[in-house]
Amino acid sequence: MIKNLPFVFAIVSVFAHAQPIVIAHRGASGYLPEHTLEAKAMAHAQGADFIEQDLVLTKDDVPVVMHDIYLDTISDVATKFPDRKRANGRYYALDFTLAEIKQLNACERFSEKTGNQVYPKRFPKGVSAFQIPTFEEELQLIQGLNRSTGRVAGIYPEIKQPKWHRSEGHDISAIVLPILKRYGYATKNDLCFVQCFEFEEVKRLRTELCWQGQLIYLMGAFKKGEKVTTEKPSFEQIAQVADGIGPAISQEIAAQSKQAHAAGLKVHPYTLRIDDLPKWANSTEEVLHLLFDEGKVDGLFSDFPDVAVKWLLKK
Ligand code: G3P
Ligand code: CA
């Protein structure tokens, strides 16, 4: 871990100012293959306030930074290890050691069915050389850039599918939290938001596992006229354990954001993709206006952090 970083001033500036934060979704993934260190370095240079890490475990319990529990739509695993798929045809990170995962070439995300890249205009699939990084490699990169550039970016790790990991005999949250602590992320003043889609795990992180830093509960899109149901926790229930919510971007965001704020929750919607706007939006600016001006959201995940950074700078 790199010690003596100028964190104090950064903490004051990021958590104390009213300006919403820009979260680089899987890095600057609109420009480079998602979750590669290159995409994270670009996000840092583009001025992202926070940089996201989706985390899954390897067979030898090392957290690696990748979006799915599967390797086959972001790497050449099927070519390098053709016999290692499960009965469903998928290649699971959890079935591979870190040494094996390091033999893979990471690439732009592609469709399992067609093999075509999901976002056709982005970085070309299968060229150059990229790796799947470990969580620690990424923390070292971000903290290294924080020191060398003097501009401090925070981290935004997501615990991916903790229930599934536990069903396979691996407790991902219990492995990730000590790493965060070792790298200086432990309290609400540290530049770190832990996020998770599973409310049971959000509660467990706060209670049983004693995470004392910022915590975000991820949820799907709000639908028009949607009422709180018994299956979904209310904003008040969420606020008892979490600091905020991460809803999918929708047209209902302004009204829901107001209610979440009333319950004391921060609102960090996901994901602005300028090459894949929501169906109801005619332009990137329309989405940014709805989120920031009408919804008063506290942050935004974007594959194109530079676009959100520039828009906020004009305000
Ligand atoms: O974590 C915020 C956002 O990334 C949630 O969606 O599926 O891209 O992890 P996903
Ligand atoms: Ca995520």
Side-chain angles (χ1 to χ4, degrees):
M1 171 188 166
I2 297 165
K3 294 201 167 97
N4 302 321
L5 288 169
F7 275 136
V8 177
F9 296 116
I11 289 162
V12 170
S13 65
V14 173
F15 280 138
H17 69 46
Q19 181 86 328
I21 58 169
V22 175
I23 307 145
H25 184 249
R26 311 181 198 175
S29 57
Y31 303 99
L32 279 159
E34 66 182 47
H35 283 318
T36 56
L37 291 182
E38 289 82 354
K40 304 307 170 77
M42 188 167 188
H44 196 289
Q46 289 183 338
D49 299 299
F50 285 78
I51 299 174
E52 189 200 27
Q53 302 78 35
D54 289 317
L55 299 176
V56 306
L57 289 181
T58 64
K59 189 175 186 176
D60 39 353
D61 278 336
V62 181
V64 286
V65 187
M66 48 188 276
H67 179 263
D68 303 321
I69 54 177
Y70 314 113
L71 289 158
D72 41 89
T73 48
I74 52 144
S75 79
D76 57 353
V77 67
T79 309
K80 294 222 170 92
F81 296 95
D83 305 328
R84 298 281 293 278
K85 56 179 175 279
R86 291 195 186 186
N88 63 359
R90 305 304 303 262
Y91 296 78
Y92 289 70
L94 203 49
D95 294 339
F96 291 78
T97 63
L98 178 63
E100 289 171 332
I101 286 176
K102 283 296 183 185
Q103 294 173 41
L104 304 177
N105 232 8
C107 64
E108 184 67 25
R109 171 170 293 278
F110 58 94
S111 157
E112 185 201 349
K113 290 199 180 101
T114 66
N116 297 331
Q117 66 183 83
V118 173
Y119 299 104
K121 292 187 177 161
R122 295 192 182 182
F123 196 89
K125 173 193 160 201
V127 302
S128 196
F130 301 99
Q131 278 201 339
I132 294 169
T134 67
F135 186 33
E136 289 201 58
E137 285 168 346
E138 179 155 337
L139 294 179
Q140 288 166 17
L141 175 87
I142 293 169
Q143 294 194 349
L145 286 169
N146 288 348
R147 186 166 77 178
S148 63
T149 66
R151 196 191 73 80
V152 179
I155 63 166
Y156 211 121
E158 179 182 345
I159 310 284
K160 279 286 177 193
Q161 301 200 311
K163 193 172 169 195
W164 177 83
H165 273 94
R166 285 223 295 287
S167 74
E168 297 274 327
H170 299 254
D171 189 345
I172 181 168
S173 295
I175 289 168
V176 167
L177 292 187
I179 297 175
L180 286 174
K181 195 169 180 190
R182 238 179 330 112
Y183 280 80
Y185 305 104
T187 75
K188 292 195 184 189
N189 287 328
D190 301 319
L191 295 178
C192 173
F193 289 91
V194 170
Q195 47 167 341
C196 188
F197 270 107
E198 295 176 19
F199 191 56
E200 285 308 309
E201 194 74 1
V202 169
K203 289 192 278 188
R204 180 172 176 256
L205 281 158
R206 190 61 98 205
T207 55
E208 184 187 330
L209 298 176
C210 302
W211 169 245
Q212 291 177 19
Q214 301 271 342
L215 186 56
I216 300 292
Y217 171 50
L218 297 169
M219 47 210 309
F222 297 116
K223 297 189 181 66
K224 195 171 170 72
E226 184 176 24
K227 299 268 187 314
V228 172
T229 65
T230 47
E231 293 94 60
K232 286 188 180 176
S234 67
F235 289 143
E236 287 70 25
Q237 286 169 323
I238 296 168
Q240 285 173 14
V241 285
D243 302 283
I245 55 168
I249 290 174
S250 77
Q251 280 177 297
E252 305 309 307
I253 200 80
Q256 298 286 351
S257 177
K258 200 171 175 190
Q259 288 180 37
H261 282 151
L265 292 165
K266 296 182 179 75
V267 181
H268 293 169
Y270 64 89
T271 302
L272 174 66
R273 296 182 169 106
I274 62 170
D275 55 354
D276 187 20
L277 291 173
K279 285 189 181 57
W280 46 264
N282 294 309
S283 68
T284 300
E285 290 68 30
E286 184 183 341
V287 181
L288 290 165
H289 172 72
L290 175 72
L291 293 169
F292 289 124
D293 298 337
E294 294 184 26
K296 310 274 184 233
V297 302
D298 307 280
L300 172 63
F301 288 87
S302 181
D303 289 6
F304 301 83
D306 56 329
V307 172
V309 166
K310 278 181 201 145
W311 198 84
L312 286 169
L313 276 175
K314 282 193 212 145
K315 291 277 142 185

